[in-house]
Structures are given as C-alpha cells and as structure tokens.
C-alpha cells in the first residue's frame, strides 16, 4: 500500500465531497489521509488502483471511503484528480472506460490473473465463471450511495460490478445475502460472480476485514421498477397485477432469508423506543418534522406490548431496488438503508420494514407523477398498495403503519440532506398518516418542486 502525499489530500476532498455517493453532505470536513493498494492489473495500459481516503468531519465524526483511480500519463483520458506517486496523474477510473474494461476483466479472471498476493491487503473471491469475455465497461449514471460499473460481455450478457464507497467493518450484506440465496435457488435475486475483500490494517483505520466490490449478472430485458410504475401512475394505468406479483416475489425472498439466516423475536417496546429515538435524531436534522413529533411517537407506541418475528431483511426495499423482467420481478441491492450503521443493518428486523418500504415507494410514484394529486391518483395508489399487500400475504396494520412512519421519517432526513425539492413527499405523507388518512398521498402543494 502506498500513502498519498499531503498535497494531494485537498484535491481528493474536492472529488469526494462533490460525489453523489458521499454520505457526509451538510457536514464540513477534509481528507486526513489516503492510500493506494497495488494495481489490480499492473501490466495494463492504464492501471487501476483501489484506494482509501480517511474523511474527518468538522463535527468530530469520520468515515473511510473507497476510491477507484486509474493511473494516466500524457494528455489523453479523463482529467486529473491529483498527481500519482511515481509520476503521471490519478483519475476517476469510473470515468475512464478503457481502464474500467481492463479492471473488470482482471476481477472476473479473464485473461492473465494478476490478483494481489500476500501483503497487498486485498484478494478476489470468484464464485462462478462469468458468462463471456468483457468487451467494454462504463459507469451506470444512476448511482447513489455506491458506484456500479456495467461490464458488457458478448451478446446481451453483462456483469454489474458494484463498488462500495463508504466502507464499514465486516462482511457486506449484499454479498452474503446473494451468496446464500443463490445457494437456496431463489430466482428473484442476482447471480453472484465475484467479490473483492480487504483487510484494512493501517494506523488511521480500525476497519479490519471489509468488502470492496461485488460482481453480479445483469438480468436480460429488465425494466427499472421505479420508472415503469411511475410512468403507469402518470397514465393512470392499473398496476394491481404487477404489484401482486411483486408482493409474492418479496414473500419468497423473505421465506428464504428466514430459512438460511434464522429467525428471532423483537420486543415491541424496544422497537418503539428505537423508532422514537430515531425520530428525535431526525427532528434535529430535519426541523420540519418537529410539529409531527408527538403524533408519530403515538404511532410507534402501538408496537408496545407486542412480539415481532424478525430475520434478515432487504432493509431498503423500494421500486428502485426492483427490476421487471419477462421472467418476473427481480430484487437487487441488499445492503440496507445507507444512513443506518452497519450494526443496525446486519441486525434482524421485522419483514414489515421491507413491506413498508414498498408502500412508501408507491406513494412516491403517485406523488411524482405529473398532474394534481386528484382522487384518481389516490385511487390508483390504494389499488396498487392493496394488491401488493395481498400478494405478500397477511397484513398487520399496526406494525405496518409504524414501519411506514419510521420510513417516512428516514425519507424526510434523506431528502433534506440530498434533494430538498423532494422533501414535501414524505412530509405530506406524514401529515396524512398522523391524521389517520389511508392514502398517504400529499396534496399538490406539498409535493416536490418542479
């Protein structure tokens, strides 16, 4: 591993703080230290390095972020982020297509094997052979908390390579979940091809073993669930059949998770207390929640005295984590909510967290559709919601409503920090929820700015 010099750190901060995947928006900070692992393929024309950056925030907190940097010499290729040790410049490899393609081939074991050996601090684990050779690679534009690279193979084959940005200690949930559900034969989740693991043992990081990358198959002829359902909401087209099928797909995934990872029981009093604590933290980050604090706490209090079955769950289930394919719905991205800690996301939870995530997402789809929030769109939402719940199975209204409220609180914080123009969607739903309305669809004036 090679430490980057102090003069490179301000440029790295500018790169990191401006990225969509940066989780520290709204907090000042700096890059305190950074290093590079050895190149994945040292013999490549433009070698790609995994790197680490230690971010220190002005409020005293900090995180370790993963970088993917290509080494360039000359004037071709993307602009420099900072000078490279030993000469040349370091660039954002996600914007360097030739470098990305060579990196993808090395990760998937195509061509000469050049994985790092003992002492380099990282290794590649391959679960199965990739479908065909990589021809080209590019970054997927719709990145959020991570970066996804599409490695195009022969024909329609492709491998989706996800680069985890904010690193956390321990195994990555997406990798372990996909590996287990692949073994269980669940068709609704991606096929895992490879993963990159690291052991971060440097003076400024206590991460230890962590995961850097996962590579999975792309589903052919897939349509993004969010775009599909939002467009149908805008057209007023009924989606009851599709939503019932999606509910059944989630039920299959939950059953496999319970079987492969086991179940436990949550104390409703503790869940209510946790949700209320999260609400109080959220009020500090999003003061618009303050007027709803007591009503929301009362929703959470309905969990007291109950016992909730829990197991591993998706943790961040919404339409954007689904794909509609000719073979049925597919579910992706099992990492959990990006603002929750690794310990929280690894803990068993009620499957109703995922169910609530989807009902909230349907509210987003209806709210974001063009036109006023009229009775027609409210009816569309009710039909879609009822069909999804029927497809999933038995419904517990008190538990579902508590998890919906908890999700809407989380959404309000997320939108406040990342997309302020959208904050009216969860806030409008919270207003409706606290008044006892069923539709959870805000009025036109409360929806996002256009």
């Amino acid at each position: 591993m090679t430490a980057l010099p102090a003069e490179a750190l301000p440029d790295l901060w500018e790169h990191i703080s401006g990225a969509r995947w940066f989780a520290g928006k709204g907090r000042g900070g700096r890059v305190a230290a950074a290093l590079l692992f050895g190149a994945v393929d040292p013999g490549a024309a433009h070698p790609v390095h995994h790197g680490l950056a230690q971010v220190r925030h002005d409020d005293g907190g900090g995180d370790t972020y993963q970088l993917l940097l290509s080494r360039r010499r000359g004037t071709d290729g993307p602009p420099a982020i900072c000078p490279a040790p030993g000469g040349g410049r370091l660039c954002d490899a996600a914007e360097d297509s030739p470098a990305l393609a060579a990196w993808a081939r090395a990760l998937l074991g195509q061509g000469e094997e050049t994985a790092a050996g003992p002492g380099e601090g990282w290794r590649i684990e391959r679960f199965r052979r990739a479908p065909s050779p990589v021809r080209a690679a590019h970054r997927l534009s719709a990145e959020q908390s991570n970066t996804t690279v599409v490695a195009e193979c022969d024909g329609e084959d492709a491998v989706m390579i996800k680069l985890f940005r904010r690193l956390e200690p321990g195994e990555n949930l997406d990798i372990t979940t996909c590996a287990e559900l692949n073994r269980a034969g669940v068709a609704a989740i991606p096929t895992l091809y490879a993963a990159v693991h690291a052991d971060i043992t440097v003076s400024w990081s206590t991460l230890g073993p962590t995961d850097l990358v996962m590579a999975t198959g792309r589903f052919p002829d897939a349509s993004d669930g969010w775009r599909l359902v939002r467009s149908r909401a805008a057209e007023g087209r009924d989606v009851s059949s599709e939503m019932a099928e999606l509910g059944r797909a989630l039920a299959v995934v939950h059953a496999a998770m319970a079987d492969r990872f086991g179940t436990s029981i949550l104390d409703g009093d503790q869940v209510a207390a946790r949700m209320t604590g999260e609400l109080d933290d959220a009020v500090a980050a999003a003061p618009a929640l303050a007027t709803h604090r007591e009503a929301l706490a009362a929703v959470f209090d309905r969990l007291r005295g109950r016992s909730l079955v829990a197991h591993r769950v998706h943790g961040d289930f919404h339409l954007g984590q689904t794909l509609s394919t000719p073979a049925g719905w597919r579910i992706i991205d099992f990492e959990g909510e990006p603002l929750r800690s690794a310990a929280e996301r690894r803990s068993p939870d009620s499957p109703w967290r995922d169910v609530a995530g989807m009902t909230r997402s349907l509210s987003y789809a209806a709210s974001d559709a063009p036109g006023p929030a009229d009775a027609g769109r409210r009816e569309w939402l009710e039909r879609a919601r009822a069909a999804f719940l029927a497809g999933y199975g038995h419904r517990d209204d008190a538990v579902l409503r508590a998890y919906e409220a908890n999700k809407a609180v989380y959404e309000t914080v997320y939108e406040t920090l990342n997309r302020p123009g959208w904050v009216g969607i969860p806030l409008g739903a919270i207003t409706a929820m606290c008044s006892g309305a069923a539709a959870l669809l805000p009025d036109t004036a409360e929806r996002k700015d256009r």
Side-chain angles (χ1 to χ4, degrees):
M1 293 185 285
T2 302
L4 293 180
E7 54 266 28
L9 303 184
D11 292 329
L12 287 174
W13 170 248
E14 183 177 355
H15 171 66
I16 293 168
S17 61
R20 175 73 184 272
W21 42 260
F22 178 57
K25 293 180 177 65
R27 305 163 69 189
R30 62 188 177 89
V31 172
L35 59 82
L36 296 181
F37 290 109
V40 178
D41 184 355
H46 313 296
V48 172
H49 300 258
H50 293 265
L52 302 177
Q54 181 197 38
V55 169
R56 291 294 183 196
H57 292 292
D58 295 343
D59 58 15
D63 289 298
T64 301
Y65 285 89
Q66 181 181 186
L67 305 171
L68 193 68
L69 302 171
S70 58
R71 183 188 295 265
R72 285 271 185 170
R73 299 180 187 272
T75 59
D76 61 330
I81 294 174
C82 63
R89 68 187 193 277
L90 294 176
C91 308
D92 183 358
E95 303 299 332
D96 192 342
S97 295
L100 272 186
W103 170 74
R105 285 190 285 268
L107 290 185
L108 296 171
Q110 300 172 353
E112 294 188 23
E113 180 97 10
T114 55
E120 287 290 345
W122 62 279
R123 66 183 177 89
I124 299 172
E125 180 181 12
R126 299 191 178 96
F127 295 85
R128 52 188 51 81
R129 186 180 297 277
S132 56
V134 173
R135 295 182 289 101
H138 65 274
R139 178 181 64 83
L140 196 65
S141 60
E143 68 177 12
Q144 297 206 15
S145 55
N146 296 306
T147 295
T148 298
V149 172
V150 182
E152 302 286 354
C153 302
D154 290 342
E156 296 298 317
D157 290 337
V159 176
M160 312 297 285
I161 306 176
K162 184 191 294 186
L163 185 82
F164 305 118
R165 289 298 191 171
R166 187 169 61 138
L167 298 179
E168 295 170 314
E171 296 177 323
N172 179 272
L173 284 173
D174 209 0
I175 294 173
T176 57
T177 301
C178 286
E180 284 300 317
L181 297 191
N182 282 168
R183 294 184 186 108
V186 177
I189 59 104
T191 298
L192 182 63
Y193 288 113
V196 178
H197 312 290
D199 191 355
I200 312 300
T201 53
V202 293
S203 60
W204 46 264
S205 175
T206 58
L207 277 175
T210 189
D211 291 329
L212 303 181
V213 169
M214 70 181 295
T216 60
R218 180 175 69 181
F219 295 111
D221 302 316
S223 299
D224 176 82
W226 163 256
R227 291 189 182 123
L228 175 68
V229 175
R230 179 187 176 276
S231 68
R232 295 196 176 173
E235 297 165 1
R237 292 174 58 186
D238 184 72
V239 294
S240 296
S241 176
E242 293 92 335
M243 290 302 99
E245 182 187 348
L246 181 56
R248 289 190 289 271
L250 179 62
V252 168
V253 168
H254 277 169
M257 284 177 154
D259 179 63
R260 303 296 290 196
F261 295 104
T263 62
S264 58
I265 298 296
L266 298 178
D267 183 310
D269 287 12
Q270 293 180 0
V271 175
R274 185 192 75 202
M275 289 181 173
T276 303
E278 290 173 354
L279 170 61
D280 289 335
D281 291 342
V283 168
L289 287 167
T291 58
H292 303 290
R293 194 270 175 200
E294 297 307 317
L296 286 167
V299 172
F300 303 146
D301 283 343
R302 292 174 195 144
L303 297 178
R304 296 186 183 277
R306 306 182 62 133
S307 296
L308 310 180
V309 175
H311 52 71
R312 180 172 290 194
V313 297
H314 186 287
D316 190 27
F317 192 55
H318 54 79
L319 286 166
Q321 311 283 38
T322 69
L323 299 169
S324 176
T325 78
W329 285 98
R330 300 295 184 255
I331 298 172
I332 59 175
D333 293 340
F334 288 84
E335 289 185 84
E337 290 178 343
L339 293 187
R340 293 188 183 274
S341 70
E344 288 175 313
R345 287 183 277 116
R346 290 193 183 101
S347 298
D349 205 341
S350 168
W352 293 103
R353 176 173 295 283
D354 289 346
V355 176
M358 183 52 60
T359 59
R360 288 292 312 123
S361 190
L362 289 170
S363 178
Y364 261 71
S367 299
D368 191 46
D374 55 20
R377 283 199 298 110
R378 291 179 186 275
E379 291 172 4
W380 179 94
L381 175 58
E382 287 295 346
R383 288 195 303 271
R385 174 188 168 91
F388 173 73
L389 292 172
Y392 181 77
H394 177 71
R395 173 170 146 192
D396 188 324
D397 285 331
V399 177
L400 174 61
R401 187 51 59 95
Y403 274 94
E404 285 179 319
N406 181 249
K407 179 67 173 178
V409 168
Y410 170 88
E411 291 165 354
T412 302
V413 174
Y414 181 87
E415 304 299 10
T416 298
L417 296 178
N418 293 278
R419 301 183 299 188
W422 290 58
V423 74
I425 294 178
L427 275 178
I430 286 171
T431 300
M433 198 180 304
C434 292
S435 68
L440 307 186
L441 183 67
D443 293 332
T444 306
E446 295 175 303
R447 287 158 50 212
K448 76 178 184 70
D449 296 335
R450 289 189 169 81

